[in-house]
């Protein structure tokens, strides 16, 4: 005599799950390798663009410094050689865990003229040359050394 289980205890025939359409690990790795190769090919062409965008920081800081010097000149009838006198605060440099890529300094100061320099602390393209910008009292902004 065969024992029959109640319907609630019998194994229900569950259909096998449908296979999901997906990428295999090998396909994903091949795509990542191709993307890596394309980035390596494009990087040398993009380095000058990256250097130019970094030089915007130097231009802005020197332009700000020139405006502060001009204000100081109108108040005291002379230019100053001190960043503290004009209220310019150098942002912490990237070599000191800060954000600034340029060190700002006033290179010369006289009653009727001044010049300031922004020197990069990072070699942007790895060629051993550091970018240098200068500005004077007439707002003549010049790239002295290209990186």
């Amino acid at each position: 005599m065969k024992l029959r289980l109640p319907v609630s205890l019998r194994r229900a025939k569950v259909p096998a799950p449908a296979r999901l359409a997906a990428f295999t690990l090998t396909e994903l790795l091949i795509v990542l390798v191709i993307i890596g190769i394309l980035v390596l090919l494009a990087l040398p062409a993009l380095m000058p663009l990256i250097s130019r965008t970094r030089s915007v920081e130097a231009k802005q800081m020197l332009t700000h410094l020139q405006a502060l010097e001009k204000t100081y000149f109108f108040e005291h009838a002379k230019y100053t050689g001190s960043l503290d006198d004009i209220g310019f605060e150098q942002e912490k440099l990237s070599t000191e865990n800060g954000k600034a890529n340029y060190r700002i300094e006033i290179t010369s100061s006289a009653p009727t003229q001044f010049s300031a320099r922004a020197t990069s602390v990072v070699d942007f393209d790895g060629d051993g040359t550091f970018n240098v910008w200068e500005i004077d009292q007439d707002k003549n902004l010049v790239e002295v050394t290209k990186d």
Side-chain angles (χ1 to χ4, degrees), residues 34-70:
I34 290 171
I35 290 172
I37 290 170
L38 291 174
V39 166
L40 287 175
L41 290 174
L43 196 59
L46 295 176
M47 286 308 291
L49 180 64
I50 293 169
S51 293
R52 279 197 307 254
T53 58
R54 297 261 172 103
S55 67
V56 169
E57 176 188 345
K59 293 176 187 178
Q60 287 179 335
M61 286 196 295
L62 286 175
T63 303
H64 176 65
L65 180 96
Q66 190 270 345
L68 292 173
E69 278 280 9
K70 200 64 133 175

Side-chain angles (χ1 to χ4, degrees), residues 116-141:
R117 174 178 289 166
T119 307
S120 66
V121 294
V122 178
D123 184 11
F124 299 122
D125 58 4
D127 65 354
T129 306
F130 292 90
N131 193 228
V132 178
W133 286 84
E134 286 187 354
I135 195 166
D136 63 8
Q137 70 281 352
D138 297 323
K139 207 173 185 177
N140 295 321
L141 190 61

Side-chain angles (χ1 to χ4, degrees), residues 4-131:
R4 292 195 71 116
L5 293 172
V7 175
S8 62
L9 296 176
R10 287 187 203 159
R11 280 193 181 179
K13 291 187 177 179
V14 179
R19 191 168 170 108
L20 297 174
F23 296 108
T24 65
L25 182 61
T26 306
E27 292 170 333
L28 291 175
L29 288 174
I30 290 172
V31 168
L32 287 175
V33 167
I34 290 171
I35 290 172
I37 290 170
L38 291 174
V39 166
L40 287 175
L41 290 174
L43 196 59
L46 295 176
M47 286 308 291
L49 180 64
I50 293 169
S51 293
R52 279 197 307 254
T53 58
R54 297 261 172 103
S55 67
V56 169
E57 176 188 345
K59 293 176 187 178
Q60 287 179 335
M61 286 196 295
L62 286 175
T63 303
H64 176 65
L65 180 96
Q66 190 270 345
L68 292 173
E69 278 280 9
K70 200 64 133 175
T71 302
Y72 185 89
F73 179 78
F74 290 142
E75 292 175 359
H76 299 94
K78 65 177 182 174
Y79 290 106
T80 181
S82 169
L83 294 175
D84 293 331
D85 288 349
I86 59 175
F88 184 86
E89 290 185 30
Q90 171 73 55
E91 188 175 343
K92 200 170 187 182
L93 298 172
S94 59
T95 55
E96 302 164 348
N97 297 325
K99 293 182 181 179
N101 292 309
Y102 287 87
R103 181 183 321 277
I104 305 299
E105 60 187 343
I106 298 174
T107 53
S108 68
S109 173
T112 59
Q113 61 185 2
F114 86 95
S115 66
R117 174 178 289 166
T119 307
S120 66
V121 294
V122 178
D123 184 11
F124 299 122
D125 58 4
D127 65 354
T129 306
F130 292 90
N131 193 228

